[in-house]
């Protein structure tokens, strides 16, 4: 099966639009349509229900999607593995959510690379559910997550606790106006959502929602507002007086976990990588602990 056909199929699923898929793949819309027809003819099924401005997967299309994603990821990894330099003998693929990268991994990835000579490191941004699926399919070696997957096949370890504090661009912000003055809700995972719902029930809805702390931080810096942000991410702006901690609003924290497959053939390397991640913990926990 032509890998380009599968890539086109996955892109159409992602965009739900043949034209947008064509733009992202740098081909014409007619080429996208032709590839999808080829794939459907080869499989002997219809993959999409085509309606004006409403492209939906058929039941066979739903069943094909995870297989297509696995094949594409496996092929990409095979290409990297084959192309490893002579002094690189092993490859580890790790992934984190955007918030994990913003608030944790970006502060130590260079140390990890330096401490593992001879290892080719592939670092990716993946959603929680996709990371879990790829771990089980063994096309991903290590995932760093806020919400640990409860799957018997995976080893899960807590590596640190990340303080998340209420901050505001307004110096006079307090409990009574924190949520009513351009409050930005950041999705810090399931545990945070439940805590937030219990703590703050009588306030107006946020004027902006995002799944990424970096987006919220940039928005607040440019337009004003408030949000719950990891202290490590906001520290430089707090030090400069660009942002302010709102002391009378409850703060919280999130545990960060690593997960990998119990039968991963590179388990000793993964344990080394986990130990390196654990060494990042004191940097965050002591220097930026909640006050």
């Amino acid at each position: 099966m032509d890998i380009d056909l599968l890539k086109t199929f996955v892109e159409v699923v992602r965009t739900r639009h043949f034209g947008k898929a064509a733009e992202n793949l740098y081909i014409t819309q007619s080429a996208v349509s032709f590839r999808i027809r080829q794939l459907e003819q080869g499989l002997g099924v219809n993959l999409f229900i085509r309606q004006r401005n409403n492209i939906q997967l058929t039941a066979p299309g739903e069943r094909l999607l995870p297989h297509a994603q696995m094949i594409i990821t496996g092929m990409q990894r095979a290409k990297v593995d084959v192309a490893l330099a002579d002094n690189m003998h092993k490859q580890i693929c790790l992934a984190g959510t955007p918030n994990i990268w913003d608030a944790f991994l970006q502060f130590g990835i260079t140390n990890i690379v330096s401490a593992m000579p001879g290892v080719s490191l592939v670092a990716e941004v993946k959603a929680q559910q996709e990371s879990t699926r790829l771990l089980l399919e063994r096309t991903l070696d290590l995932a760093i997550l806020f919400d640990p997957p409860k799957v018997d096949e995976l080893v899960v370890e807590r590596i640190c606790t990340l303080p998340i504090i209420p901050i505001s661009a307004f110096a006079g912000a307090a409990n009574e106006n924190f949520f009513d003055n351009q409050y930005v809700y950041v999705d810090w995972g399931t545990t945070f959502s439940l805590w937030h719902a219990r703590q703050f029930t009588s306030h107006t809805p946020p004027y902006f929602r995002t799944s990424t702390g970096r987006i919220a931080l940039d928005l607040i810096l440019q337009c004003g507002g408030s949000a719950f942000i990891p202290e490590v991410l906001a520290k430089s702006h707090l030090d400069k007086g660009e942002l302010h901690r709102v002391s009378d609003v409850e703060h919280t924290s999130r545990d960060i976990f690593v997960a990998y497959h119990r039968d991963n053939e590179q388990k000793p390397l993964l344990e080394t990588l986990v130990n390196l991640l654990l060494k990042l913990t004191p940097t965050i926990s002591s220097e930026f602990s909640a006050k």
Side-chain angles (χ1 to χ4, degrees), residues 183-201:
Y183 174 62
V184 179
Y185 178 85
V186 186
D187 183 2
W188 293 106
T190 303
T191 301
F192 174 83
S193 297
L194 294 173
W195 172 83
H196 192 279
R198 288 194 304 267
Q199 294 289 326
F200 314 107
T201 58

Side-chain angles (χ1 to χ4, degrees), residues 144-157:
I144 301 93
L145 307 162
F146 279 131
D147 297 307
K150 295 178 174 60
V151 182
D152 291 340
E153 292 92 335
L154 302 181
V155 175
V156 178
E157 298 181 32

Side-chain angles (χ1 to χ4, degrees), residues 12 14 54 66 69 93-94 120 178 182 196 221 231 261 289:
V12 172
R14 191 182 71 83
N54 185 21
Q69 292 171 327
C93 183
L94 68 86
S120 174
F178 179 78
Q182 298 182 195
H196 192 279
L221 287 169
E231 194 166 1
H261 202 286
S289 60

